[in-house]
Amino acid sequence: MEAATSAQRVTMEEITALAKRRGFIFQSSEIYGGINGFWDYGPLGAVLKRNVKDAWWRDTVELRDDVVAFDSSIVMHPLVWKASGHVDAFHDVMIDCKVCKHRFRADHLSDRSQCPDCGSKNSFTDPRNFNLMMRTWIGPMEDTSAMAYLRPETAQGIFVNFKNIYQTARKRPPFGVAQIGKSFRNEITPGNFTFRLREFEQAELEYFVPDDGKDMDAFREWVERRKAWYAQYGIASERLRFYELTEAERPHYARAGIDVEYLFPWGWGELESIAHRGTYDLDAHVKLSGKDLQFFDEATKSHYTPLLIESSAGMDRTVLTFLIDAYERERSVDPNGKETERTVLRFHPLLAPVQVAVFSLARNKPELVVRARAIEAALRPVFRTQYDEGNIGQLYRRQDEIGTPFCVTVDYETLDDGSVTVRDRDTMRQERTAADTLGAYLRERLER
Ligand code: GAP
């Protein structure tokens, strides 16, 4: 029922069509027929994604004095993945249809009597484990000794560097380490546009706390902080939920876990997982490497292994969420009484790829074009701007579709009295204001 409500609001067809039409997201290697599970971000999508990552980074790292930055390599020593459990346990169970050769995730098939793709009866192979890590070979030899993995999560780079980080950053628990970077998983069935990918980006925070009885407070604080972040950037609260995993749903070592889920047009889907992982990760690396990864507390001269609270958000899923949540088809009546419809992306101004568009009313009037270009150039160091010219109605429609909060039009009056028209994306209201003070006018409205 809830999923139907979301589906009525927007369909994935509408989102993928808009994403392609306006340059947010393209199929990877499209001219060769595409490649399943990989997507490219176009000129606007790349900016939107950067803004989403910056918003996460600002809140998780820059606004806190207890979180430091990190950037580890994608390819690490293969034993990292042995210790983490990924070599032995990071798999999905798959089954193949012997007739059409289509491969399915076993947990995605509720009825195994008939292939949902070709309709064949009793055509499935036995279930088999399929490891999701992507492999590569280092150096000139392609034998097992040269085999390595593309990381399936960024977190392990932080764990294996735990000592390097706390010693050089001079931090003591509680403190966190954050990184944003690419991860790779050989998903059996990628899909739902950019929801399930084989190459994707994660924003992960690993927050180390002492075992002093306050660890669950830290866990809850991060849950609240993440809730506030989604709310701050405008995700509708009725389409977001924080699902608390039961003991049976969590890995055995996890003491608590919450999945942040969004109501996508096809139903609820996970955006982020927040977990209390105890000492599992550091212990595993100590055990396999034989190296000391404990924290040494100078004050008490004691060694201990801190507990870990992790928040791990998929940036591609978050971008997709912002696209879907911002999307609206809106009917209104124009001043002549005519009913019109527009598509608008109501992005938060800090996320919008373009914040201010500046138009010249006419393309062939040099005095207007020169003035509009000068105004846009003056705003450019402060805002993300775009210059355009031509039919104002069409220009508004395009900027609405890419979510630009403000459009500024330079017309003949501008030449007379130095005023411009500023049009608000959400209310569609237009206001005359002085071009000289436009920067302050826009700053006030964009930072509201
Ligand atoms: N270090 C913990 C970890 O990786 P996870 O739940 O496997 O936890 C965290 O992944 C987040 O990464 C997910 O909530 C999701 O947003 C994103 N993610 C995982 N697999 C993905 C995929 N195949 N495509 C896109 N995003 C993915």
Side-chain angles (χ1 to χ4, degrees), residues 6 39 44 101 112 118 257 297 353 399 422 443 446:
S6 178
W39 294 84
L44 292 179
K101 311 286 180 217
R112 294 197 198 157
C118 68
D297 192 335
Q399 295 298 332
V422 182
R443 193 174 307 118
L446 285 166

Side-chain angles (χ1 to χ4, degrees), residues 153 185 187 195 197 202 204 270-271 310 312 314 317:
E153 61 173 17
R185 296 185 188 179
E187 298 284 355
F195 182 80
L197 300 167
Q202 288 183 311
E204 300 202 286
E270 180 191 313
L271 288 185
E310 174 183 75
S312 175
R317 289 184 185 182

Side-chain angles (χ1 to χ4, degrees), residues 86 90 152-156 159 185 187 194-202 204 206 259-260 270-273 277 310 312-318:
H86 285 84
F90 190 55
E153 61 173 17
T154 70
Q156 298 299 328
F159 304 145
R185 296 185 188 179
E187 298 284 355
T194 54
F195 182 80
R196 182 165 290 105
L197 300 167
R198 288 176 166 146
E199 173 179 344
F200 55 98
E201 224 165 337
Q202 288 183 311
E204 300 202 286
E206 311 300 330
D259 282 352
V260 184
E270 180 191 313
L271 288 185
E272 167 172 355
S273 80
R277 296 176 60 94
E310 174 183 75
S312 175
M315 290 293 97
D316 307 85
R317 289 184 185 182
T318 309

Side-chain angles (χ1 to χ4, degrees), residues 257-311:
I258 284 201
D259 282 352
V260 184
E261 297 182 337
Y262 182 74
L263 184 56
F264 289 97
W266 65 85
W268 291 99
E270 180 191 313
L271 288 185
E272 167 172 355
S273 80
I274 307 173
H276 183 325
R277 296 176 60 94
T279 59
Y280 176 81
D281 303 282
L282 290 178
D283 284 348
H285 287 299
V286 168
K287 196 166 163 215
L288 192 64
S289 70
K291 297 290 186 323
D292 171 27
L293 288 179
Q294 286 196 317
F295 177 74
F296 177 63
D297 192 335
E298 292 281 357
T300 60
K301 305 283 179 224
S302 62
H303 291 85
Y304 69 90
T305 304
L307 305 174
L308 175 74
I309 311 295
E310 174 183 75
S311 142

